[in-house]
Amino acid sequence: MSDGLLVIGSGPAGVSAAQAYRDAGGPGPIRIVSADEHPPYQRPPLSKDVLRGDAPAEPVPIDDEDPDLRGITVDLRTRVDRVDTDARVVHAAGREFGYRSLVVAAGSAPDPLPTAEDGADVYLLRSHADAERLVEAASHARSAVVIGSGFIGCEAAVSLARRGIAVTVASTEPAPQLERLGERASRLLAGWLADEGVTVIPDVRVTGVGAPREVHLSDGTTHSPDLVLAAVGVSPATGFLEGSGVEVADGFVVVDERLRTTAAGVWAAGDLVRAHNATAGRALHVEHWGDALTMGGIAGRNAAGGEETWGSAPGFWSEIGDRTLKHSAWGDGFDEVRVVEHGDDDEAGVTVWYALDGAVVGALTYEADQDYQRAEGLMAERTPIDDV
Ligand SMILES: Cc1cc2nc3c(=O)[nH]c(=O)nc-3n(C[C@H](O)[C@H](O)[C@H](O)COP(=O)(O)OP(=O)(O)OC[C@H]3O[C@@H](n4cnc5c(N)ncnc54)[C@H](O)[C@@H]3O)c2cc1C
């Protein structure tokens, strides 16, 4: 056992946990162990400017005011395979790391395409190394199939199209994110994809991908593009916690509103948690950059002796080409949608309010920052949708 903080993962949750612990005067040395091969960097640009070819190839530090993470040791290429919470030791890459306090922030890993044959050339996008490989392939591709119409799929499709590549999105949904965001938001996204020259094939499953790039769809068609990107979702990276005494349910680390796990001296934050949100009054799972930063900060300060709770409303921005969509929601569904158009066409802006049992539970905005800004308060106060 050491007398300091150990953090697993060098994404936003892990980095902000380490910084927050340091800034709160937490005792002992501070160390991050990470499977990643690059020093901590920003992930959101990977599907946007980096894939478009508009950003430098170098990873962008997570915090440009503290790019070298003063006072924090970072061990890269150090994948954790086991945690012993009784002995307070983490086993990683043949080494042992003791801790007094541990923050688990290993994030998510992209789901592989289950129907891809061995030898099929299917790219995934999560890390900077993934982006480097994808950008290299895109630099001599003339056609691409993107599998999945979630935010990563939509962003990547438009970024590839901006490089002059003919892009087809194969989607299991009748329209992009129809179920998650409702008809109006889905129509907005579909319009943007069409404007950028992206073709969407709705309501299809990928029945197989043969080597090297034969994409077979459930509508009977086969596509043979120069590049295939699967963006079919992510799963929490929690396998190494098996047998550790840290409770994991449905793959997610269970934490309370102070981001404490069920094991003494262990906190968790970011994509891999299902955390009790003090304002929502229920456990939530979110996969957003800003929320990972926020949760990491809380976990780090609490590991240093604080008693902070997580209660902010989850939210993210998605940049699709030159357009930015903003979304804030508790994320566990809605049964009513109210649309406010801010002009005669989509470019004038739109706000979509989401309600559950008559109360505001979320908002999606385009060119309507005033609504995005007041969404959190309306959600926190469970404002009746009729009063918005
Ligand atoms: C291309 C892309 C674009 C995105 N764009 C946006 C956006 O615009 N807005 C938004 O809100 N969100 C966006 N996201 C989602 C956002 O990046 C994630 O929600 C966020 O990174 C989660 O942070 P995290 O710290 O929990 O995990 P991660 O960022 O996934 O970091 C986890 C870290 O743990 C390491 N790790 C994993 N397993 C182990 C192990 N066994 N041992 C040691 N280390 C391990 C990983 O290498 C990594 O360093 C995007 C994601 C991607 C992939």
Side-chain angles (χ1 to χ4, degrees):
M1 174 166 157
S2 114
D3 54 354
L5 175 75
L6 185 67
V7 176
I8 302 175
S10 59
V15 165
S16 65
Q19 289 176 309
Y21 182 89
R22 176 197 66 195
D23 296 346
I30 307 170
R31 179 183 291 270
I32 297 175
V33 288
S34 178
D36 211 301
E37 60 191 82
H38 290 98
Y41 56 85
Q42 291 184 23
R43 220 176 276 291
L46 301 181
S47 50
K48 308 172 183 79
D49 356 9
V50 171
L51 190 51
R52 284 199 298 263
D54 294 345
E58 290 308 304
V60 182
I62 288 183
D63 181 351
D64 56 13
E65 288 180 9
D66 182 22
D68 302 323
L69 304 179
R70 177 181 48 80
I72 299 166
T73 304
V74 182
D75 287 301
L76 300 172
R77 298 187 181 85
T78 308
R79 181 173 291 278
V80 172
D81 32 59
R82 195 161 64 83
V83 175
D84 181 339
T85 57
D86 292 330
R88 299 207 179 196
V89 169
V90 165
H91 299 262
R95 297 168 66 189
E96 292 186 1
F97 299 88
Y99 64 84
R100 173 180 175 274
S101 305
L102 176 68
V103 175
V104 182
S108 312
D111 294 331
L113 203 61
T115 52
E117 278 177 17
D118 282 353
D121 194 8
V122 178
Y123 289 87
L124 300 173
L125 178 55
R126 183 75 190 179
S127 64
H128 196 270
D130 293 338
E132 284 174 330
R133 286 188 285 270
L134 182 61
V135 166
E136 162 59 19
S139 67
H140 33 78
R142 297 175 64 187
S143 58
V145 169
V146 175
I147 302 166
S149 54
F151 278 110
I152 304 291
C154 290
E155 290 180 1
V158 168
S159 297
L160 290 168
R162 288 276 174 112
R163 301 180 79 105
I165 297 172
V167 181
T168 302
V169 172
S171 173
T172 51
E173 307 174 281
Q177 306 197 46
L178 180 62
E179 192 178 331
R180 178 179 178 193
L181 300 176
E183 193 278 331
R184 182 63 186 95
S186 174
R187 186 152 44 87
L188 193 66
L189 279 173
W192 293 350
L193 292 171
D195 285 355
E196 300 279 349
V198 173
T199 304
V200 178
I201 307 180
D203 279 326
V204 283
R205 278 175 306 103
V206 174
T207 54
V209 183
R213 290 174 298 277
E214 300 284 299
V215 182
H216 305 289
L217 301 181
S218 56
D219 64 359
T221 59
T222 294
H223 301 253
S224 307
D226 299 331
L227 186 157
V228 181
L229 170 65
V232 294
V234 295
S235 297
T238 50
F240 62 88
L241 290 171
E242 207 178 308
S244 68
V246 172
E247 186 184 345
V248 174
D250 303 326
F252 296 102
V253 179
V254 177
V255 290
D256 66 10
E257 59 192 14
R258 291 183 168 74
L259 305 182
R260 288 180 300 217
T261 72
T262 48
V266 185
W267 288 257
D271 271 19
L272 54 55
V273 298
R274 182 171 291 153
H276 191 86
N277 183 289
T279 311
R282 55 193 185 272
L284 305 176
H285 162 63
V286 291
E287 290 165 7
H288 308 148
W289 184 265
D291 296 303
L293 284 173
T294 302
M295 282 194 249
I298 293 169
R301 283 186 291 278
N302 288 351
E307 286 293 334
E308 238 178 273
T309 58
W310 179 54
S312 54
F316 70 89
W317 299 8
S318 175
E319 221 181 281
I320 298 180
D322 301 324
R323 285 130 162 167
T324 303
L325 196 125
K326 301 183 181 180
H327 182 254
S328 181
W330 297 124
D332 48 3
F334 56 89
D335 58 14
E336 192 181 344
V337 169
R338 299 268 176 99
V339 177
V340 182
E341 305 285 353
H342 299 294
D344 292 337
D345 63 32
D346 282 355
E347 292 312 315
V350 60
T351 300
V352 181
W353 295 104
Y354 301 94
L356 185 65
D357 299 328
V360 175
V361 290
L364 174 141
T365 65
Y366 171 57
E367 298 291 345
D369 284 354
Q370 69 288 359
D371 285 342
Y372 183 75
Q373 277 151 19
R374 69 195 184 105
E376 176 158 12
L378 298 174
M379 288 160 61
E381 285 155 25
R382 295 171 172 72
T383 305
I385 185 75
D386 289 335
D387 296 351
V388 169

